[in-house]
Amino acid sequence: MATRRNVLAVVALALATAVSSAAPAVAGSDNDTLRAAARGSGVRIGTAVDMNALANDAEYRALVAAQFDSVTAENVMKWEAIEPQQGQYDWAPADRLVDFAKANGQVVRGHTLVWHNQNPSWLTEDAFTPAQLRQILRDHIKTQVRHFKGKVYQWDVVNEVFNEDGTLRDTIWLRNLGPGYIADAFRWAHEADPKAKLYLNDYNNEGINAKSDAYYALTKQLRSQGVPIHGYGMQGHLGVQYGFPGSVFDNVRRFDALGVQTAFTEVDVRMILPVDATKEQAQGYGFSTLLQACLLARHCVSYTVWGFTDRYSWVPGVFDGQGSATPYTEALEPKPAREAIFHTFQLAR
Ligand code: XIL
């Protein structure tokens, strides 16, 4: 642990050099992989996985297996995918990811049980009473967590429940069940798999701001009430044009002090296209900033990128004129960002 806390100066000093002298070669031997670099650091290196790409793209599949020791389903564990009709579950795509992870010695982060997006229309369009919705939510969480019991080691139990100003987001759950739905969701998930680590998860909550203050207060309150909450997830969707949250380490450290784990769960660093060398350098710095905070913290256990290649990244489809947000190009060549992650892990050894 001492090593982890002493890396700051070393990493800060060496970072500029590491990023600018980025070795161009793709991993040539096992020792050159991200998962090898992460070994012994106490931080797992993960990626979101696109199940169509995993099935159809052999190069993609080989990189997921070689470079990462943790995987998250990009979409197939979301409510609309897993329970498309009420009470009818489609486990197959998610099970394939679990099997792939097992075969490759990887752990699985579960994403996500309660969210306001990517819900099936039967859930959002039918007029359920609050009592019915509570039962539906309970059944969904219990069934899903039970199905993956012992196979998914962490769950994003609730995703994106706060607004930027720290008030609770207006969702079907808040409107019908009141704020207590959050504690209930954690209790139900815990009953279904007492060993799984249960997380809050959001974006724009990496640095210290109104949103992360709200999470801090909520975590403290739930812990004091004995609610089984174990982790604070920061998605880490950054953009070079916005700069990077300078207070990220202070934020991670205050959650450390509460006794919960932390994780960076969906890191990508987008840019306004076209790509140039300066933006790529800055991008490497962004990836590394979050990873340094994780390595410096006591209980930061994983760092996951939201897709590792531009070939399948969600960014261009959602953020107009932006892209190149991942550590590998469309051609699966490593970018300076990939080398920044690699070197930041190496320096922490
Ligand atoms: C995104 C996926 O990457 C896309 O493929 C999908 O169309 C929409 O959702 N925050 C989250 C993730 O918690 O689940 C989102 O993933 C990205 C933002």
Side-chain angles (χ1 to χ4, degrees):
M1 218 34 82
T3 352
R4 261 178 86 172
R5 268 178 289 153
N6 288 338
V7 292
L8 181 57
V10 186
V11 172
L13 259 176
L15 184 65
T17 341
V19 174
S20 60
S21 65
V26 192
S29 75
D30 283 355
N31 287 338
D32 297 332
T33 63
L34 294 174
R35 69 188 285 181
R39 206 167 288 143
S41 71
V43 175
R44 287 187 176 269
I45 177 75
T47 184
V49 175
D50 174 327
M51 291 310 291
N52 290 325
L54 195 76
N56 301 317
D57 183 338
E59 285 180 312
Y60 176 93
R61 192 161 54 241
L63 280 169
V64 176
Q67 300 290 332
F68 301 95
D69 64 7
S70 170
V71 290
T72 306
E74 184 169 0
N75 287 301
V76 298
M77 289 192 192
K78 293 171 181 175
W79 199 322
E80 69 176 5
I82 215 107
E83 195 186 358
Q85 302 299 327
Q86 189 174 0
Q88 290 175 24
Y89 289 82
D90 180 9
W91 306 116
D95 285 348
R96 277 197 286 278
L97 181 62
V98 168
D99 291 345
F100 179 88
K102 191 166 184 216
N104 291 290
Q106 298 163 322
V107 293
V108 182
R109 290 199 87 249
H111 176 79
T112 178
L113 300 172
V114 189
W115 196 21
H116 61 280
N117 276 334
Q118 292 182 273
N119 286 321
S121 49
W122 66 261
L123 173 63
T124 51
E125 283 166 20
D126 282 359
F128 293 112
T129 65
Q132 286 171 324
L133 273 175
R134 191 177 148 82
Q135 189 63 38
I136 286 169
L137 184 62
R138 184 175 178 278
D139 288 349
H140 176 77
I141 291 175
K142 289 218 159 190
T143 307
Q144 183 161 352
V145 175
R146 201 180 300 126
H147 178 83
F148 294 108
K149 186 175 178 183
K151 297 174 178 166
V152 163
Y153 88 125
Q154 297 181 351
W155 279 105
D156 291 333
V157 175
V158 298
N159 197 30
E160 305 179 351
V161 296
F162 283 113
N163 296 309
E164 302 301 292
D165 67 0
T167 56
L168 280 172
R169 188 191 285 270
D170 179 30
T171 67
I172 184 176
W173 309 117
L174 183 66
R175 276 195 300 281
N176 286 282
L177 311 182
Y181 82 88
I182 297 175
D184 285 339
F186 278 89
R187 290 193 188 99
W188 292 327
H190 185 65
E191 282 165 24
D193 185 353
K195 290 201 180 130
K197 299 294 182 203
L198 305 180
Y199 275 68
L200 299 157
N201 194 51
D202 213 322
Y203 61 91
N204 286 351
N205 64 342
E206 298 82 15
I208 292 186
N209 55 35
K211 204 182 208 178
S212 63
D213 283 351
Y215 275 106
Y216 182 75
L218 176 67
T219 305
K220 213 172 168 175
Q221 181 202 330
L222 293 178
R223 300 271 295 175
S224 74
Q225 293 168 352
V227 177
I229 158 170
H230 314 112
Y232 177 62
M234 294 153 284
Q235 295 180 4
H237 294 293
L238 307 181
V240 299
Q241 66 274 27
Y242 307 122
F244 307 123
S247 52
V248 60
F249 179 49
D250 288 336
N251 191 38
V252 170
R253 194 158 43 180
R254 69 176 169 163
F255 282 90
D256 253 0
L258 283 184
V260 292
Q261 301 182 347
T262 51
F264 290 92
T265 56
E266 305 182 12
V267 185
D268 53 19
V269 184
R270 59 188 185 268
M271 59 187 72
I272 296 167
L273 298 173
V275 177
D276 66 31
T278 306
K279 292 175 197 170
E280 284 205 321
Q281 289 268 313
Q283 178 183 52
Y285 185 76
F287 274 101
S288 184
T289 299
L290 299 187
L291 180 54
Q292 285 176 49
C294 193
L295 288 165
L296 287 163
R298 278 183 194 224
H299 307 301
C300 184
V301 298
S302 70
Y303 176 96
T304 293
V305 296
W306 204 242
F308 63 91
T309 165
D310 296 340
R311 195 178 282 187
Y312 303 107
S313 168
W314 72 302
V315 167
V318 173
F319 302 95
D320 241 9
Q322 300 182 47
S324 194
T326 73
Y328 286 80
T329 65
E330 274 184 43
L332 302 179
E333 296 290 337
K335 299 179 192 174
R338 191 270 181 200
E339 302 311 323
I341 297 170
F342 183 83
H343 285 292
T344 303
F345 269 124
Q346 269 200 328
L347 289 165
R349 293 172 83 85

